[in-house]
């Protein structure tokens, strides 16, 4: 009997951690939007986010280095490339895009990364493409089309297209990161890999900042530091480790299903905190995207 009681509690904890991760990731766009009115640019805000998060990931990465297998030059090279695609490339494109479009549309576009990961596997890794996956892709992009209609009615068409393209580039970058991370996670473990990939992306982010901005750009109004710290803690550190812990307990497939609440949470927070309008077209788009991801995530 004790064994059967432990299993549901283990699964419940995993589900709670997956929901916590979805909540944290959904807040990133909100924090960015709340910081932008103070005049901070995308690379400075991203550098603040990475800088605040860096000590935690450095501590976890160093602890993993002592406990885990040593890394070869090839491993470091793969970590560098994946870090550039994941937490740096995807983040900077996302931050740029958020200066043009609403947080709700951003989250819906960004949430296409599972379908993009499948397409990358089909095109470059020789994986099969099923009818179910085709249906999921069609639903997701129809949903984004509805959300585009919503934003086009409220903003300049040029801004919506530019912002949408940048965020879609972010989704492609994150899909490339996911496509290449599987073997490294199997070798290093999810926690160690996440920490080392974050360290690589932090280094590239800070180098980018140093190349294009003077150090005085770090002098910002106090609210910018507050939103940057909140983004580092609640939209980076907590969800990254919560997601890794959830995957360990309930598996990647089930954890990804709980992540589907992300777009809906971002739309709700955008309405509550940013006064973003919610329309029927936007909600229909969100529903189609969620259904599409649900179809593609089921095994």
């Amino acid at each position: 009997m004790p064994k059967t009681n432990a299993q549901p509690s283990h699964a419940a904890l995993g589900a709670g951690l997956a929901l916590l991760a979805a909540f944290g990731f959904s807040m990133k766009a909100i924090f960015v939007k709340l910081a932008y009115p103070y005049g901070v640019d995308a690379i400075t805000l991203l550098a603040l986010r990475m800088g605040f998060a860096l000590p935690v990931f450095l501590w976890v990465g160093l602890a993993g280095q002592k406990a885990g297998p040593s890394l070869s030059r090839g491993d470091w090279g793969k970590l560098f490339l994946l870090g550039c695609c994941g937490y740096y490339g995807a983040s900077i494109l996302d931050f740029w895009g958020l200066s043009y479009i609403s947080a709700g549309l951003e989250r819906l576009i960004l949430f296409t990364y599972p379908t993009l990961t499948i397409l990358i596997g089909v095109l470059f890794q020789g994986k099969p493409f099923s009818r179910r996956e085709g249906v999921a892709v069609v639903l997701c992009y129809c949903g984004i089309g509805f959300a585009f209609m919503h934003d086009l009615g409220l903003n300049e068409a040029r801004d919506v297209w530019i912002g949408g393209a940048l965020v879609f580039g972010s989704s492609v970058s994150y899909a490339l990161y996911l496509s290449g991370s599987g073997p490294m996670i199997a070798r290093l473990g999810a926690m160690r890999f996440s920490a080392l990939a974050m360290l690589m992306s932090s280094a590239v982010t800070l180098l980018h900042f140093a190349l294009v901005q003077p150090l005085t750009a770090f002098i910002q109004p106090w609210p910018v530091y507050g939103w940057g710290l909140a983004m580092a803690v609640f939209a980076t550190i907590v969800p990254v480790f919560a997601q890794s812990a959830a995957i360990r307990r309930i598996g990647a497939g089930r954890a990804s299903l709980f992540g589907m609440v992300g777009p809906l949470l971002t739309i709700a927070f955008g309405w509550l905190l940013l006064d973003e309008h919610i329309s029927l077209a936007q909600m229909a788009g969100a529903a189609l995207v969620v259904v599409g991801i649900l179809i593609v995530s089921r095994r």
Side-chain angles (χ1 to χ4, degrees):
M1 284 297 290
K3 188 175 181 180
T4 58
N5 288 337
Q7 192 64 28
S9 64
H10 194 71
L13 178 59
L17 288 166
L19 287 172
L20 177 63
F23 177 84
F25 286 133
S26 70
M27 287 300 296
K28 181 189 69 174
I30 306 300
F31 291 139
V32 172
K33 284 285 195 179
L34 289 170
Y36 273 163
Y38 295 94
V40 64
D41 63 285
I43 186 58
T44 302
L45 184 59
L46 181 58
L48 286 171
R49 174 201 186 191
M50 294 299 198
F52 285 132
L54 185 59
V56 174
F57 289 105
L58 184 61
W59 175 68
V60 174
L62 290 175
Q65 282 295 97
K66 296 177 182 177
S70 59
L71 300 179
S72 65
R73 282 187 182 178
D75 290 332
W76 284 112
K78 292 173 185 176
L79 281 169
F80 175 76
L81 291 175
L82 291 171
C84 285
C85 285
Y87 296 109
Y88 164 69
S91 293
I92 190 62
L93 290 169
D94 187 37
F95 279 38
W96 284 335
L98 276 165
S99 63
Y100 293 96
I101 60 175
S102 67
L105 178 57
E106 176 266 357
R107 183 53 44 176
L108 288 177
I109 297 174
L110 204 58
F111 212 61
T112 60
Y113 70 84
T115 61
L116 291 171
T117 303
I118 289 170
L119 293 175
I120 289 169
V122 171
L123 294 174
F124 301 107
Q125 297 172 341
K127 294 181 179 180
F129 188 63
S130 69
R131 181 179 298 178
R132 183 184 66 183
E133 290 166 342
V135 171
V137 169
V138 171
L139 286 174
C140 283
Y141 293 102
C142 286
I144 290 173
F146 277 111
F148 252 87
M149 289 168 52
H150 165 83
D151 269 45
L152 285 171
L154 298 177
N155 303 293
E156 290 288 336
R158 177 177 174 274
D159 288 349
V160 176
W161 284 109
I162 291 174
L166 287 167
V167 176
F168 186 74
S170 171
S171 187
V172 171
S173 186
Y174 192 64
L176 289 170
Y177 163 78
L178 290 178
S179 297
S181 63
M184 294 298 291
I185 290 175
R187 173 166 159 71
L188 304 178
M191 297 283 280
R192 185 184 180 196
F193 169 76
S194 296
L196 291 175
M198 179 61 79
L199 288 176
M200 288 294 179
S201 62
S202 297
V204 176
T205 298
L206 295 174
L207 176 62
H208 182 171
F209 172 84
L211 290 173
V212 301
Q213 294 282 34
L215 284 178
T216 53
F218 275 135
I219 302 174
Q220 295 288 335
W222 283 107
V224 173
Y225 298 130
W227 294 126
L229 180 60
M231 199 186 319
V233 175
F234 301 112
T236 307
I237 296 169
V238 170
V240 163
F241 289 129
Q243 184 79 344
S244 296
I247 290 171
R248 280 206 313 274
R249 286 167 173 80
I250 60 176
R254 290 187 64 194
S256 68
L257 294 180
F258 286 102
M260 288 191 305
V261 302
L264 301 177
L265 287 173
T266 301
I267 290 171
F269 289 135
W271 174 68
L272 286 171
L273 302 175
L274 304 175
D275 293 325
E276 291 185 353
H277 179 66
I278 298 177
S279 70
L280 184 60
Q282 190 180 34
M283 293 308 298
L288 287 173
V289 171
V290 169
V291 171
I293 301 303
L294 177 62
I295 290 172
V296 85
S297 299
R298 293 180 67 85
R299 291 289 178 261

